[in-house]
Each structure stands twice: as C-alpha cells, then as structure tokens.
Amino acid sequence: MKRLFAILLSCAMCAALLAGCSGGKSGGDAAAGNGGGGSDGPVKIEFWHSMGSSTGELVQEIVDEFNASQSEVYVDCIYQGDYTTAGTKLQAAAAGGNTPNVVQVEITRVGMYASQDMLLDLMPFAENDPEFDLDAMYPGVMDFSYYNDQLISLPNGRSVPVMYYNVDALKAAGFGKAPETWDEFLAASEAVTKDGVYGYGAPLGDSWYYLALMLTAGGQIYNDEGNNIGFHDESGVKPLQLWRDMMDKGCLYIPEGDDYASNSALRNAFMAGVCAITMQSSAQYRSLVDNSEFEVGVAYIPKDVTYAAIPGGSNLVAFTGKSDVENEATWKFIKYMCSGDVAGKYAAGTGYLPTSDAALNSAVYQEMLDKYPYLDIAVGQLDYYVEMPFDEAYTEIKDNVVGKYVQECIIGGMSPEDAVEHMYEETGKFYS
Amino acid sequence: MRGTTALSKTERQERLKGYLLAAPAVVLLFIFTVYPLCYLIYRSLFGGNLITKDPKFVGLENYTSLLESKDFHQVLSNTLIYTAVTVVLTMVLAVVIAAWLNSKKNRRLNELVQTCIFTPHIISMVSVSTLFLWLMDSKNGLLNILLNALGFESFPFLASPDTALFSVALVTIWKGLGYYVLLIMAALQNIPTSVYEAAEMDDTPALKTFFKITLPMISPTILFTSVVATIASFKVFDSISVMTGGGPLNSTNTLVYYIYEYAFRYGKPGQACAAGVILLVFVCVITYVQFQVSKTRVHYQ
C-alpha cells in the first residue's frame, strides 16, 4: 500500500512535466484559435501579474480602465502570486504550450524564456507605431529589454531597494536625519535599540539586500568574466561583518520565514514599530507610509564607499505562438501600460519607478509627489544602477548559494570570510 | 491448432469479459502510474529546464550531483528525523489519549476533549500553518508570551535551525492527532468486554491489562495508522512551504519540498526527477522493513 503511495506521489509530481512535454506542439495552435474569432467582439487576451493587496487592486483598476477605454481588446487580468509562485506557474504553462499573452515577469527570469525563443519580438510593433517612442523610456530601466537585437520586454514595475526608517524613533534617539554611511547606519541602529525595539531588520530569506549592501561596498554581482561572483573580496565580507556587529550589539531583527514571506513579516514588524530601520523595495513606499502610525523616512541604501542600486521588479513580456490578431491586441495593451499617464499612475500608487519623463511629469505622479515627497527616491538612484546579465542560474545562485551562506554566517555562526569563500567555490561550479 | 488447451467458445467469451472488466483499471494504472514512473526514471537522466525543447542526455550526472550535495544529505536526514518524530509521538499520544477517552468515567468531559482534539483535522493545513507561523513567532508570538508569563525563557521555534524541524513536526502532530485517536478508539471499542472481565476476575493490575490485552488487541490498527502516518510525513509539503520554505539553513527542507524547488523554482527537472527516484527507493525499503517487523509483532484475531 505504501509502495503504491510512493508510486502515486512520484506520478503526481511527474504529471505536470508529462502534460507539458506532450502538449507542447498543439498548445500554440489552440491558443491561436481562441483569439481568432475577433470579428464579433473584442479580442480577448490574458494578462498575468504578481501584485498582491493594494498594488494588485491598482493593477486591476488600470486594466479595467483600459477595457473601458476602447472596445477592440478585452484584457483578462489574473493575479498569479508573488514572483516566485508566478514564475513556477509560468514555467508549467510554457512547458504545456499554454502561455498567456502578456505576463509581468520578474526581471532576472526574463532571460530563461528569451533563450528558448518564447518571447514575442516587440520591435516591429514599436517601430511601426507612431504613437510609441521607444527612446523616451529611461535607458536605465531598459536593461532587460534587448536580447539578440530583439525587443523582448518593456519595463513595468521596476524598483530598487531603499532604506526606510522610523523618523520618530530616530529623532528620539538623537538622529535628526537619515544615516548616509554605514558608520552612521550602525550608530543609529544601536541608538534606537531598547527593550522590544530593534535597530535594523534584515530579511535573510531574500539575498537582494545583502547584494545591495555589497554593491555599496564596491563589489559587483558577477566578476568581469561573468563566471563567478564579483564580490570575492572585502566587498562581500563587509556587509556580513556589519550584520554580525549589529547582532552582537542586539540590534539586528531577523524576521521568520523564507523568500517573500520574510519580507512581508519584516514590513509588518517595521509598521508595528518593532524595528526602526529596514530595507525594502522602493515599491513598498506608499504601503508603508499609509499603514504606519509614525512618520516614515526614506533614503538611499547607506554607502560604504559608493552609492549603488541593484535592479529589481518586473518587466512586461509577450509570448509567441499566438495569432496576429492577438499579438496586435497584446501590443495595444503593452503600449497602454507603458504610456506616460498609466506608468505615472502606477508609480504614483506604489513607489515603483516612473519609466519615462512622460510618466514622471504626468499630472497624477506630480500630484502624488506633493503629498509623498520621497516618492521619487528611486528615480535618483537610476544614476547608480548596476547592470545584471541574463543568467539562467541566477535564481539558484541567489537563493541556494548567496542566500544560504548569508544565513550560515548570521544564524549559523560561520565567519564572514569563510561564507564568501564558500559562495565563490559553489558559484564557480555552475560555470565550470 | 487444436490442442488440449483449446477453449470452448463460451469459455473464451467468459475470459474476454474478464479482461474487458479489468481494462479500465489497468489502462488507468498504466497511464497514471506505470507510464509516469517510467518517465520519471527516464527524465532523471536528462538536463535542461522545464521549457527546454531538447534536453541534453547527461546519464547519471543528476544522481551523482545529488549524492555529492551536502544539502541533499541534510534533506534526507531531515525527512527521516521528521518522519520518526511525528510517527512515534503521534502513535504514543494517540494510544494514550484514546485509552483515556475510552474509559467510562467523565463521559461529558471526554466528549468535549474528543471534539477539541478532532477539530484540527478538518482545518486546511495551510490555515493551520499560517496560524502557527504567528503563534510560534520567536519574538512576538503568543506561545512565547505564554512561556514568558509562566517564567520560562523564550523558545526560538522556527527561527533557529536547531528547533525549526521539531516545531514543524509539532504542528503536524497537533493537526493529525485527532484522526488517529478516532481510529484507535474505534479499535478499542471492538475489544470484547469478556476479555477484560476475565482479567478483572484474575485481579490483573491495570498496567498489565493495558500492555498484555489492550495493546495486542489493537495492534493491527496501530500498524495501519503508523503506515498511514509514515506516508503522510513523507509527503509533508504544505506546512514546510508556508511556515519555513525549507529554512532556516536548510533545516526543514524535506524530500518532496526539495523536489518541488528543483523542478519549478530552480528549473532543474532532471535533478528533481532523480530525487523522486530516490524517494521511491526510500519508501519501498521502509515499507518492506515495516511489514517485516509487523509480521512478528502484530496480532490478528
């Protein structure tokens, strides 16, 4: 009976793979068939996104407005869970040849689909559309848009990590302004720490913040050859040492949970006043300000030797294998999402980067900027944007190598030097 | 050829009918069990990700990289420890509680306790996990507030690699206990009272009655429930996914979660399938051992 169970269990996990491999060829045609009959109604296209809670409502509102604004295209807007969950579903869908038309894909995962020729080249649409000006987009956010001379994605919810701090708590501890350097950062974290309140909260489940600090210590994500980490030196050790120092002084708050769960736990702790300083995506700005009872300050990630910003967030991609009618509709929708007013509205409601001057100068964005003066913090960081390559192994390296040894060092007690050494050795194996 | 084995027409029809009737089950078994099993083994020999069109043949590379990986060793030992802890604790607690509830005293109280113990079984594991994620928060969780109020030190629960696996097991035990208590109580009620009456007449001490009469009489049910509990703990997934994501420091990563992560998150279905084959071997061996042991220990009426 248990043997049977084991077989069943293995089958269950295999079923998805199976469905994928056998259905690969027919999927495209079927999808094309659905949209073909557009003569007696709007063309229906499917849009997947990863925005939960209030941001998700904003996405839905924007899509509803698009649907109401014209009668040719109807967009079905579907929430598929956070980037990791949505990435899982999209891979399964892609394997089954059953992809949606437009997807908000986390930037480091774009390359995977591009390398399999699954993404629609948007260049012909962009070039032939007089209403769309590709050059108006900020060059900084176009880093994940070109692949083999094809335009495979356009920026949508792009963000950088920023530092959030509890202005009231820092003031009470004698810090009238945001810490700018690591020394000030450490001093402020120490000063605000008292019973039940921690200075700084770091989500160890998400190595984005370790990498962000590493960049300000002068490191790079990949080395110049692109075959190993670019922080196999002091720059990789220093952030770990900083966190260790904070832990020794009792001012480091570590939220529980993994991946995006640790981030939401951390935001809850910050809003509850449990930790006074934290780092989160710039996209959390509106939500943190609106839900905290104290004044929320925002600043750049403090610098050790330089300011730096690690790219994050998502781009819009379209999948191949659909009919021309659907592709036209898809382009119409992507163009709408990238237009100044819509991108401006999206940025204004969240803290994501406005992706062009038109978005930055849109009425809705400027109006919100008056109310939320730090809304454009990420825009200034565009100057410090670092580039990241398209790399399939990145997800595994980020979680299973970098993330693992950050935890080994902070929770497990491994020395920072050893931790970075291990990261170097294990990352090397991916490229040998 | 007309030999001695030749069948009459009616007999042949009879046999054909048999095959026809068995066909649906056989076909389903082939499609959903045998074929996927073969495909699992076949796919474990290839590289590539889920969407690669022509995955590369890599031979046993997926297996060697698994067997060399320290993380995977930890995953295996986590799975075994988790299974041992949940099955043993669940069984012991279930038998003790069932025996207590089955006694004829305090009928009101017993009914209440029975309801309370059984209720968690019908709640979805995801809700239970989310709830315990809050309860077990190492700094502001209700459980630690209670511990502190009683004068104990805070317990790290899910925050420390030393206690996280145990904490997840605790949730599983809490949720599953009621179901097993119910099954064992049913077995207890099936024990003929005459056996107990005989023991009473001999003035057998209560403990001795329990070990010499009660336990042997319910041993088939204990075998069944321990098999079911072992199965359940091998396939633990939702609580891990919700509560820890395999962390901290890989300390709660179990086989099925590992398979899921490699297949879907890191895009390495080959390696995931190899881990699936290893899971299969594991479960086969443990099942075999369990049934061998039970042959000598289980008493059927």
Side-chain angles (χ1 to χ4, degrees):
Chain A
M1 153 152 195
K2 203 151 55 172
R3 203 171 305 197
L4 183 70
F5 157 74
I7 293 166
L8 282 175
L9 180 65
S10 325
C11 300
M13 74 138 296
C14 240
L17 300 180
L18 277 176
C21 297
S22 53
K25 279 151 208 120
S26 58
D29 305 337
N34 286 338
S39 54
D40 49 350
V43 182
K44 252 193 179 179
I45 59 171
E46 210 170 276
F47 167 51
W48 288 10
H49 70 88
S50 295
M51 296 296 129
S53 64
S54 57
T55 312
E57 284 162 24
L58 180 63
V59 171
Q60 185 66 52
E61 187 187 319
I62 287 174
V63 171
D64 287 345
E65 283 172 12
F66 174 74
N67 286 336
S69 71
Q70 42 77 47
S71 56
E72 288 155 25
V73 182
Y74 180 83
V75 177
D76 202 0
C77 176
I78 303 167
Y79 171 60
Q80 295 286 15
D82 63 35
Y83 289 142
T84 306
T85 314
T88 302
K89 291 183 187 169
L90 187 58
Q91 277 186 57
N98 219 349
T99 49
N101 301 77
V102 187
V103 188
Q104 195 183 47
V105 175
E106 196 264 328
I107 48 174
T108 62
R109 291 178 170 91
V110 172
M112 180 166 81
Y113 304 100
S115 68
Q116 297 296 322
D117 286 330
M118 286 186 154
L119 301 183
L120 185 67
D121 182 11
L122 299 171
M123 196 58 102
F125 297 97
E127 278 175 343
N128 296 329
D129 194 328
E131 292 171 28
F132 185 78
D133 182 9
L134 193 57
D135 299 328
M137 311 294 284
Y138 288 142
V141 292
M142 294 296 282
D143 47 353
F144 285 88
S145 291
Y146 298 101
Y147 188 87
N148 292 343
D149 297 327
Q150 293 190 328
L151 182 65
I152 49 155
S153 74
L154 283 168
N156 175 234
R158 295 299 300 276
S159 62
V160 290
V162 292
M163 181 174 68
Y164 293 97
Y165 60 100
N166 183 329
V167 177
D168 304 348
L170 258 69
K171 240 179 218 158
F175 287 82
K177 65 181 183 62
E180 283 169 15
T181 64
W182 283 20
D183 293 337
E184 289 173 28
F185 173 42
L186 180 60
S189 305
E190 236 185 300
V192 293
T193 299
K194 55 171 194 277
D195 42 17
V197 178
Y198 295 79
Y200 170 65
L204 297 186
D206 184 350
S207 50
W208 203 40
Y209 304 96
Y210 164 74
L211 293 173
L213 280 169
M214 175 279 292
L215 290 171
T216 70
Q220 299 168 278
I221 296 172
Y222 285 92
N223 63 7
D224 294 333
E225 294 81 38
N227 62 6
N228 210 318
I229 56 171
F231 46 94
H232 181 228
D233 51 30
E234 267 216 310
S235 61
V237 174
K238 278 162 141 185
L240 294 175
Q241 194 57 56
L242 177 74
W243 286 357
R244 283 277 280 265
D245 291 346
M246 288 185 169
M247 195 147 87
D248 292 343
K249 290 176 171 142
C251 52
L252 185 66
Y253 176 81
I254 301 169
E256 271 140 54
D258 196 50
D259 200 19
Y260 294 107
S262 67
N263 278 315
S264 60
L266 180 61
R267 291 195 294 272
N268 288 336
F270 177 77
M271 291 185 286
V274 174
C275 66
I277 306 175
T278 188
M279 289 166 191
Q280 281 290 296
S281 156
S282 59
Q284 299 296 338
Y285 175 62
R286 280 287 307 273
S287 150
L288 286 178
V289 170
D290 292 346
N291 295 311
S292 299
E293 279 171 13
F294 47 85
E295 190 188 334
V296 175
V298 192
Y300 288 178
I301 300 287
K303 67 171 179 177
D304 180 39
V305 295
T306 173
Y307 282 122
I310 181 170
S314 56
N315 276 11
L316 292 178
V317 304
F319 278 87
T320 51
K322 318 285 181 202
S323 68
D324 289 345
V325 184
E326 277 188 57
N327 289 342
E328 281 295 336
T330 294
W331 170 250
K332 231 174 238 168
F333 178 60
I334 291 182
K335 182 176 79 176
Y336 166 83
M337 292 296 278
C338 294
S339 68
D341 286 344
V342 176
K345 177 175 179 165
Y346 191 44
T350 52
Y352 278 118
L353 277 164
T355 47
S356 61
D357 275 335
L360 183 66
N361 295 327
S362 64
V364 55
Y365 192 79
Q366 287 299 324
E367 196 180 297
M368 208 50 85
L369 199 54
D370 290 339
K371 274 189 231 160
Y372 297 89
Y374 297 110
L375 191 62
D376 61 347
I377 181 107
V379 181
Q381 289 210 336
L382 267 176
D383 299 338
Y384 304 105
Y385 237 42
V386 295
E387 273 201 30
M388 281 202 324
F390 284 111
D391 188 350
E392 267 186 52
Y394 181 78
T395 314
E396 196 181 346
I397 293 173
K398 174 177 73 102
D399 293 352
N400 253 9
V401 180
V402 178
K404 182 172 82 180
Y405 286 106
V406 169
Q407 292 194 12
E408 281 284 359
C409 176
I410 305 300
I411 311 175
M414 184 183 273
S415 80
E417 290 80 10
D418 285 354
V420 174
E421 194 58 43
H422 275 107
M423 289 180 200
Y424 180 75
E425 271 169 30
E426 288 195 15
T427 308
K429 285 184 198 158
F430 284 85
Y431 301 96
S432 59
Chain B
M1 234 175 63
R2 285 177 174 272
T4 44
T5 52
L7 302 168
S8 70
K9 202 180 167 192
T10 49
E11 208 171 325
R12 217 180 294 167
Q13 271 179 343
E14 238 355 80
R15 290 203 172 186
L16 189 66
K17 206 194 272 170
Y19 284 119
L20 267 179
L21 289 173
V26 171
V27 167
L28 284 178
L29 198 72
F30 260 88
I31 295 177
F32 292 108
T33 307
V34 180
Y35 172 65
L37 183 65
C38 298
Y39 189 79
L40 175 81
I41 297 169
Y42 170 78
R43 187 65 182 84
S44 72
L45 305 174
F46 288 84
N49 60 32
L50 270 182
I51 56 176
T52 318
K53 275 155 201 144
D54 300 298
K56 200 176 115 216
F57 181 80
V58 295
L60 293 175
E61 204 178 279
N62 287 324
Y63 291 92
T64 48
S65 70
L66 271 185
L67 294 177
E68 279 168 10
S69 150
K70 274 193 198 117
D71 286 345
F72 188 68
H73 296 165
Q74 200 188 350
V75 166
L76 287 184
S77 75
N78 284 346
T79 310
L80 289 181
I81 294 172
Y82 175 85
T83 304
V85 169
T86 42
V87 173
V88 171
L89 277 182
T90 305
M91 284 302 106
V92 171
L93 285 175
V95 171
V96 170
I97 294 175
W100 175 56
L101 289 180
N102 200 43
S103 63
K104 302 281 177 275
K105 296 166 211 150
N106 296 327
R107 189 153 283 238
R108 270 270 164 73
L109 180 73
N110 283 359
E111 272 168 16
L112 188 73
V113 171
Q114 203 178 332
T115 314
C116 289
I117 286 182
F118 188 72
T119 311
H121 177 67
I122 57 171
I123 310 173
S124 125
M125 192 66 203
V126 174
S127 321
V128 169
S129 307
T130 313
L131 190 73
F132 270 88
L133 194 59
W134 295 334
L135 288 176
M136 286 181 166
D137 188 284
S138 61
K139 296 183 184 81
N140 306 301
L142 191 63
L143 292 183
N144 268 331
I145 292 175
L146 279 177
L147 281 179
N148 290 341
L150 294 172
F152 293 100
E153 295 243 321
S154 292
F155 193 72
F157 291 111
L158 300 166
S160 154
D162 302 325
T163 54
L165 190 63
F166 178 73
S167 307
V168 177
L170 208 65
V171 177
T172 313
I173 295 168
W174 178 79
K175 178 164 158 45
L177 195 58
Y179 174 68
Y180 298 110
V181 167
L182 203 71
L183 290 177
I184 290 173
M185 270 183 70
L188 286 174
Q189 275 155 14
N190 273 340
I191 301 176
T193 43
S194 56
V195 190
Y196 284 115
E197 280 158 6
E200 212 169 302
M201 282 167 79
D202 288 343
D203 269 344
T204 323
L207 259 187
K208 201 169 179 188
T209 317
F210 179 76
F211 281 107
K212 293 287 175 191
I213 297 175
T214 313
L215 267 191
M217 293 297 273
I218 60 168
S219 57
T221 307
I222 292 182
L223 170 70
F224 168 74
T225 46
S226 68
V227 167
V228 172
T230 312
I231 290 169
S233 34
F234 259 100
K235 70 169 183 181
V236 58
F237 177 82
D238 19 15
S239 56
I240 303 278
S241 173
V242 173
M243 292 175 73
T244 65
L249 284 181
N250 209 29
S251 61
T252 57
N253 201 352
T254 53
L255 256 174
V256 176
Y257 191 74
Y258 183 89
I259 290 170
Y260 162 79
E261 274 204 317
Y262 269 83
F264 295 110
R265 186 158 171 190
Y266 305 137
K268 289 191 172 172
Q271 199 166 327
C273 286
V277 172
I278 292 175
L279 173 67
L280 182 74
V281 173
F282 244 81
V283 175
C284 287
V285 169
I286 289 178
T287 312
Y288 182 77
V289 170
Q290 213 160 10
F291 271 90
Q292 287 306 312
V293 170
S294 63
K295 247 183 207 165
T296 56
R297 299 257 180 247
V298 174
H299 167 85
Y300 290 97
Q301 278 181 331

